[in-house]
Amino acid sequence: MKIEAYLSKVFRTIRRFKLVEPNDRIFVALSGGKDSASALFVLKKYIEENSVDCELKGFHINFGSPISNRVQEVVEKQAEMAETKLIVFPLKNIGVSLADVRKKTKRPLCSVCGVLKRYLMNKVPREMGATKVATGHHMDDFLVFFFKNVLGQNFFWISKFKPKLESQHPKMLCKIRPLFMVGGEENRLFCESLNVPFIEEDVCPYTYLNCRIDLKREKWYRIIRRIEEEHKNFRHQMMTSIIKMSEFFTTKNSLKECSICGEPTSQEICGFCKLFKLNKDKNVK
Ligand code: AMP
Ligand code: ZN
C-alpha cells in the first residue's frame, strides 16, 4: 500500500465529514496501539497541511495493570514524536482498580473496560476544554460490530456507525473516527512507515485476567479478511453502505444527567455508576 493512497483516503473522510474544524481542540484517545497512533499522526498531518487553526492533544488512560506503565511509555514516545502534548489519566485517580471490579461483578472484563473508557474518554477531555475526541476505531472494527449487532438483532447501534458522532447533550463530546475507511493492516503499515512505536494488537492489557471477548473479535477479523480475499473491495463497499444505513436508524436516546455523577446517560443512573456504585463512597466526581 502506498502511504499517499492511505493518507488521501483518510483525508477524504476528514474533509467529507468535517471531522476537523477551525477552533477545534481535539483530544486523540491513545491506547498505545497502531490504530490510535495512526489517528494521531494522520490528524496532525491533515491540520498542518491544511493550516487549520486547531489544537491537537493526546489522551491516555493508565489502567494500572502490570503492563500499563510499559504501555504508557510507548504512548509518551508517540506523543513526543508527533510533538503533541499528552494528558495521562491514571485509573487510580478515581479510586478504581479493574482487578477489584472483577471480584465484584460477573460482567466480562472487556465490557467493564469499555464502560470505563467511554466514560473517562468523554468526561476528562471535556473538563479540560476539548471540543472533540478522536479514536482509532477503524473499518474492521466497525464491520465486526456491524455483523455482531445484526446477528443479535440489535439495530439501534447502526445509527452510531459513522465517522462523526455529533454531541447529543451539552456534556457529551463529539466523537470522530478518522480511520473509518481504512483497515487495521493499513494502519500498521502507516505506523511502520513513520517508525512509530506501538504495542502489538493482540496484547490486551488484561490478557492476564483472561479477557475472552477480544479473542472473539479476532475471530471476526479473520472472517472479514477471508470474505475480502474472495470478494475484492468488500470492506470498502460495506462501509459505504453502512454509512448510508446509519441514516435510517436515528439516535433516539434523549440523554439526561446521571442522578449520581451528573454525566450524560440515557438512563437514571449511568453505566459507570451502576458498575462502580460499590465505590460510591470514593468520590467519582
Ligand atoms: P479498543 O476498545 O481497545 O479497541 O479501543 C478503541 C479506541 O479507544 C482506541 O482506538 C483508542 O482510541 C481508545 N483507547 C483504547 N484504550 C485507551 C486508553 N487506555 N487510553 C485512551 N484511549 C484508549
Ligand atoms: Zn453516573
Side-chain angles (χ1 to χ4, degrees):
M1 181 207 53
K2 287 228 172 66
I3 295 307
E4 295 76 46
Y6 171 88
L7 283 174
S8 78
K9 233 193 264 184
V10 183
F11 280 14
R12 214 177 305 137
T13 309
I14 297 177
R15 223 172 267 126
R16 183 168 162 220
F17 294 93
K18 297 190 171 60
L19 303 191
V20 175
E21 292 160 298
N23 301 320
D24 262 342
R25 286 177 303 275
I26 302 175
F27 279 45
V28 185
L30 296 170
S31 66
K34 61 184 177 19
D35 305 314
S36 47
S38 298
L40 175 69
F41 282 86
V42 96
L43 282 169
K44 182 177 163 65
K45 209 166 169 49
Y46 180 88
I47 288 166
E48 279 176 2
E49 282 187 14
N50 294 279
S51 312
V52 188
D53 182 15
C54 126
E55 215 180 285
L56 197 64
K57 281 186 181 150
F59 172 67
H60 175 66
I61 306 163
N62 182 317
F63 280 98
S65 85
I67 70 157
S68 285
N69 289 341
R70 187 162 67 79
V71 176
Q72 186 179 320
E73 277 170 26
V74 172
V75 173
E76 282 166 358
K77 185 89 192 108
Q78 292 172 346
E80 191 189 312
M81 281 179 76
E83 297 172 336
T84 43
K85 202 172 165 219
L86 172 70
I87 286 121
V88 174
F89 187 87
L91 202 56
K92 62 175 186 323
N93 272 14
I94 48 166
V96 168
S97 119
L98 276 195
D100 286 350
V101 174
R102 191 166 168 261
K103 285 180 211 144
K104 291 173 189 163
T105 172
K106 288 203 167 64
R107 276 179 73 161
L109 203 66
C110 274
S111 102
V112 175
C113 194
V115 170
L116 270 169
K117 273 191 279 200
R118 278 194 297 279
Y119 186 84
L120 295 173
M121 269 161 47
N122 182 62
K123 179 178 161 75
V124 180
R126 187 195 73 232
E127 288 176 345
M128 298 186 83
T131 55
K132 288 175 182 152
V133 175
T135 58
H137 289 112
H138 55 77
M139 175 160 82
D140 302 327
D141 289 329
F142 285 102
L143 287 171
V144 172
F145 294 149
F146 178 79
F147 284 117
K148 282 167 80 169
N149 282 314
V150 169
L151 291 184
Q153 299 184 20
N154 191 1
F155 306 121
F156 160 71
W157 284 94
I158 299 173
S159 65
K160 293 177 183 280
F161 292 0
K162 43 193 166 200
K164 183 184 196 177
L165 262 189
E166 297 285 358
S167 162
Q168 307 276 321
H169 184 276
K171 284 187 168 179
M172 182 66 86
L173 287 176
C174 168
K175 311 275 176 344
I176 57 170
R177 295 96 172 231
L179 310 175
F180 202 82
M181 297 303 273
V182 289
E185 263 319 291
E186 290 165 274
N187 294 336
R188 172 187 297 280
L189 293 173
F190 178 60
C191 282
E192 285 172 357
S193 77
L194 297 177
N195 283 324
V196 176
F198 56 85
I199 297 281
E200 276 305 319
E201 176 92 26
D202 45 1
V203 184
C204 164
Y206 296 99
T207 306
Y208 83 108
L209 289 174
N210 279 329
C211 183
R212 265 177 258 116
I213 287 193
D214 254 13
L215 296 179
K216 279 192 201 155
R217 186 151 84 171
E218 281 305 311
K219 180 191 83 177
W220 275 99
Y221 283 146
R222 276 200 309 278
I223 294 171
I224 288 163
R225 271 201 298 274
R226 289 227 309 262
I227 304 179
E228 176 96 26
E229 277 163 24
E230 294 276 329
H231 182 93
K232 204 169 171 301
N233 226 13
F234 163 75
R235 292 178 308 164
H236 196 271
Q237 283 178 338
M238 273 302 294
M239 292 309 281
T240 311
S241 295
I242 288 172
I243 293 178
K244 292 215 167 112
M245 239 182 266
S246 72
E247 286 157 18
F248 290 99
F249 297 86
T250 48
T251 358
K252 56 171 185 221
N253 55 344
S254 50
L255 296 179
K256 48 192 169 196
E257 294 186 4
C258 167
S259 60
I260 298 179
C261 71
E263 287 299 300
T265 172
S266 55
Q267 285 162 357
E268 183 58 29
I269 296 176
C270 76
F272 175 88
C273 288
K274 270 189 203 143
L275 265 172
F276 298 103
K277 60 179 180 237
L278 303 159
N279 291 342
K280 205 166 77 185
D281 44 318
K282 301 203 173 139
N283 188 8
V284 295
K285 253 193 140 170

